[in-house]
Amino acid sequence: KCSPYFLYDEIEYYTINITQDEVSKILEKKNKSEQEIKVFHLLVRGAVTKFSDTSTLNDLESLNYKKRFLDSSKFSTIDEIFCERKHVESISTACEPFYRDILVFKYKNQIKGIANICFSCGQHIIIGTVKNTIDFGQSGDYKKLSQLLIQ
């Protein structure tokens, strides 16, 4: 009933600890540094929205994103979240997303998929799958994913 988006054997997780107020201050600032401009664009547009942009991943740690690898014991739960399936109801939001969380799915050291996630708004940009991702995060999956990433 649940068809996973990606075949992978490794997941890199990037996150940045920045508040909406801090993002607004960057936007309002007249003389932004090159780093502030890059971080703002990553947060608003998503770090990677097509495979030709994957070189951006190399810059994330220098832009204050923290990187870690998810333990493979979490993969079965990840597969239950990152999969195409039917949902009882679909909830959408209308806020401005800030993509603070990025998951990079790799198989044999090659990037197979990338998910830019905004937990505040419940919005996402997912690339690398032919499956329908429009209902990603429904049925409590954003909350499940958030809790999984905190552990």
Side-chain angles (χ1 to χ4, degrees):
K1 307 254 183 199
C2 182
S3 180
Y5 295 159
F6 312 109
L7 173 64
Y8 60 93
D9 57 13
E10 177 180 85
I11 301 173
E12 294 176 1
Y13 171 51
Y14 296 88
T15 187
I16 188 167
N17 186 15
I18 188 168
T19 66
Q20 214 152 332
D21 285 342
E22 290 170 322
V23 174
S24 295
K25 285 178 186 172
I26 292 172
L27 180 61
E28 293 167 4
K29 197 172 176 184
K30 289 189 190 221
N31 296 316
K32 298 171 190 69
S33 70
E34 186 176 327
Q35 182 171 347
E36 289 171 325
I37 293 168
K38 283 181 181 180
V39 168
F40 180 78
H41 287 290
L42 291 172
L43 290 167
V44 173
R45 296 181 185 156
V48 180
T49 58
K50 53 190 175 203
F51 275 108
S52 59
D53 293 340
T54 57
S55 63
T56 305
L57 296 172
N58 299 328
D59 298 332
L60 292 177
E61 288 180 278
S62 67
L63 297 172
N64 295 323
Y65 279 80
K66 304 290 183 233
K67 175 184 174 181
R68 68 181 167 95
F69 293 89
L70 292 188
D71 190 276
S72 61
S73 65
K74 298 180 179 187
F75 288 3
S76 62
T77 305
I78 291 287
D79 285 344
E80 293 170 9
I81 297 169
F82 285 86
C83 70
E84 184 177 41
R85 69 179 191 273
K86 300 271 187 228
H87 295 274
V88 176
E89 63 180 291
S90 186
I91 300 168
S92 61
T93 59
C95 65
E96 183 70 33
F98 292 114
Y99 300 103
R100 296 177 185 96
D101 297 272
I102 303 152
L103 292 130
V104 180
F105 296 81
K106 290 184 171 183
Y107 183 70
K108 295 186 179 180
N109 284 328
Q110 290 197 324
I111 297 172
K112 296 298 177 181
I114 299 171
N116 300 272
I117 307 289
C118 175
F119 285 108
S120 301
C121 284
Q123 294 190 48
H124 62 276
I125 300 170
I126 297 175
I127 64 166
T129 184
V130 295
K131 303 207 183 317
N132 184 347
T133 64
I134 197 150
D135 287 331
F136 172 81
Q138 300 298 317
S139 302
D141 285 349
Y142 273 110
K143 184 176 180 179
K144 242 191 279 186
L145 179 59
S146 176
Q147 290 172 342
L148 185 76
L149 295 175
I150 289 170
Q151 298 174 353

